[in-house]
Amino acid sequence: MTPEARIGAAIVVLDRVLAGEPAERALTTWARASRFAGSRDRAAIRDHVYDVLRRRRSAQALSGQAEPTGRALMIGLLVAQGHDPATVFTGQGYGPAPLSDSERAALAAAPSAGDLPEAVALDVPDWLAGPLKARLGDDFGATMALMQTRAPVFLRVNAARLDRAGATAALAAEGIATLPSHLANGALEVTEGASRTRSAQSYLSGLVELQDAASQAAVESLPLAEGQRVLDYCAGGGGKVLAMAARCRGTWFAHDADPRRMADLPARAERAGVPVRRITTPEAAALGPFDLVLTDVPCTGTGTWRRTPEAKWTLTPARLAALVATQADILDRAGALVRPGGVLAYMTCSLLEAENGDQIAAYLARAPHYRLDRERRFGPLDGGDGFYLACLRRL
């Protein structure tokens, strides 16, 4: 496919996203109907789509058009990147049709990037700008600007199998270049060959796992010790429990409100060489209490907007309120499963204080048998995703 054709395909996908279809599903649907597209074409189209979604608000403003369409957003993105849309929108090479007179007039009347209001220029929904400023302070602008860019790819070295130097050498032999991250002892940032990671033998054999560096740092901050009985209460795919199990020997349990999310965990655990037992909610109550219960709760994901930019535009105040209520319920349930002297760990990938410090303060107010032992916040300016950890000790 020509570069222009890839942009034309991205416009088609974006229109489906704007109609309410999740981006990954829209990309998959397009790829299945377009067998002529090679892997590089699909990767380029995906990059176009996600670049637009990260800058959806500013792209629309720079296009000068009142309503968002895939075509308008792509025009605006090209402007933001310093390109003349007229050189791409030519109708040649299966590319998008030439700019219409109305599109040219809209571009001529559009504000420049330097004249956009702050929230528009930084691609932040108006209702979230205040809470994010309150949390980030002077780092607000730089953090939101970083959210407009692509996220780095990080790997977690399976410390149960080898050290970081060994993993670096093994990956290099497969054409994947990495650098150590300062955030976590087992974190590697992929600098070349990221697209080959999932097919690399180092990954398939369980020497490394995909995991953000801030998430790894949060797990490394947990007070784990040999022989503990540990429950990952919101396990999902199991990344956190596998990371914990790589640190020391223990008895590891995984639970999720939707057990289907843990479907791949047995294979991942076998690949990593660590035993993890999946349990139901009644089994969690019967097998408790535990030395440590980790709750990596459902959240807004505001710390991961580089990876999931469409979540920025679909989040609503009502959805935030519902998530805060769910988080509180999980804390109440999980807190009952911790032995006296044990630890209840709470994690989010959110930058919003309503889901972090405020949530913990509210829990401690209604659970006086807990105290706050440690609290850590990570932001994109630290090198990874936005992440929060609080460790509560049961008295």
Side-chain angles (χ1 to χ4, degrees):
M1 296 176 68
T2 65
E4 294 81 6
R6 290 170 173 174
I7 287 177
I11 290 172
V12 172
V13 174
L14 285 165
D15 281 331
R16 298 180 70 99
V17 174
L18 291 170
E21 189 170 349
E24 285 299 328
R25 185 189 304 168
L27 285 161
T28 300
T29 300
W30 182 90
R32 287 175 177 170
S34 308
R35 299 295 183 182
F36 57 83
S39 59
R40 290 185 180 179
D41 296 319
R42 296 194 298 273
I45 293 163
R46 187 181 191 279
D47 285 344
H48 286 320
V49 168
Y50 275 87
D51 286 345
V52 166
L53 292 176
R54 291 185 191 97
R55 294 175 173 263
R56 174 175 164 174
R57 193 175 186 191
S58 61
Q60 183 182 341
L62 292 174
S63 76
Q65 299 188 45
E67 296 297 328
T69 65
R71 185 176 169 92
L73 294 178
M74 186 57 70
I75 289 172
L77 179 67
L78 290 170
V79 173
Q81 294 173 336
H83 303 302
D84 180 0
T87 64
V88 175
F89 285 68
T90 63
Q92 298 179 357
Y94 296 97
L99 296 176
S100 66
D101 290 342
S102 63
E103 287 172 333
R104 290 180 184 275
L107 276 171
S112 65
D115 292 331
L116 296 176
E118 182 183 47
V120 177
L122 293 173
D123 287 286
V124 182
D126 286 330
W127 72 278
L128 287 172
L132 288 169
K133 280 186 177 182
R135 173 63 257 167
L136 298 170
D138 292 340
D139 290 336
F140 171 74
T143 300
M144 293 301 103
L146 194 57
M147 290 294 199
Q148 295 173 310
T149 67
R150 298 175 191 176
V153 175
F154 289 104
L155 298 171
R156 177 182 58 79
V157 177
N158 183 357
R161 302 277 295 278
L162 80 172
D163 60 16
R164 189 154 64 174
T168 299
L171 290 162
E174 298 188 72
I176 300 171
T178 61
L179 289 173
S181 167
H182 69 279
L183 277 175
N185 294 326
L188 290 170
E189 181 177 352
V190 180
T191 56
E192 293 181 28
S195 62
R196 295 192 291 273
T197 300
R198 290 184 182 273
S199 60
Q201 189 59 33
S202 301
Y203 174 80
L204 296 174
S205 62
L207 299 183
V208 295
E209 285 275 355
L210 286 161
Q211 189 174 32
D212 177 73
S215 176
Q216 294 184 51
V219 172
E220 288 186 3
S221 299
L222 294 173
L224 294 171
E226 294 284 331
Q228 286 184 328
R229 300 174 73 252
V230 178
L231 170 63
D232 187 349
Y233 190 77
C234 308
K240 301 288 190 313
V241 70
L242 294 178
M244 289 190 290
R247 284 184 52 192
C248 59
R249 289 187 296 272
T251 306
W252 310 98
F253 300 91
H255 163 276
D256 199 279
D258 183 354
R260 293 173 296 182
R261 299 191 188 108
M262 301 188 293
D264 295 335
L265 180 53
R268 294 181 69 189
E270 182 177 3
R271 189 172 67 216
V274 294
V276 178
R277 177 180 171 184
R278 294 180 296 172
I279 60 176
T280 64
T281 301
E283 287 174 328
L287 291 167
F290 301 90
D291 297 298
L292 186 148
V293 176
L294 170 62
T295 59
D296 183 13
V297 298
C299 71
T300 58
T302 50
T304 65
W305 276 347
R306 285 186 290 180
R307 303 180 193 280
T308 57
E310 60 189 314
K312 182 190 304 189
W313 311 114
T314 56
L315 181 62
T316 64
R319 175 59 178 159
L320 172 58
L323 285 166
V324 168
T326 296
Q327 294 157 3
D329 181 64
I330 290 172
L331 279 170
D332 289 338
R333 292 173 183 272
L337 300 174
V338 179
R339 68 165 176 81
V343 171
L344 172 63
Y346 175 85
M347 291 183 181
T348 77
C349 53
S350 174
L351 296 173
L352 297 174
E353 198 65 0
E355 301 179 274
N356 297 336
D358 291 350
Q359 185 70 266
I360 292 303
Y363 179 69
L364 292 174
R366 64 180 184 272
H369 52 291
Y370 274 99
R371 73 165 190 265
L372 179 63
D373 258 9
R374 72 180 63 171
E375 188 177 36
R376 294 197 67 184
R377 288 180 173 85
F378 304 89
L381 297 182
D382 296 319
D385 290 341
F387 215 82
Y388 175 82
L389 165 69
C391 291
L392 313 178
R393 180 77 59 177
R394 182 163 189 174
L395 304 177

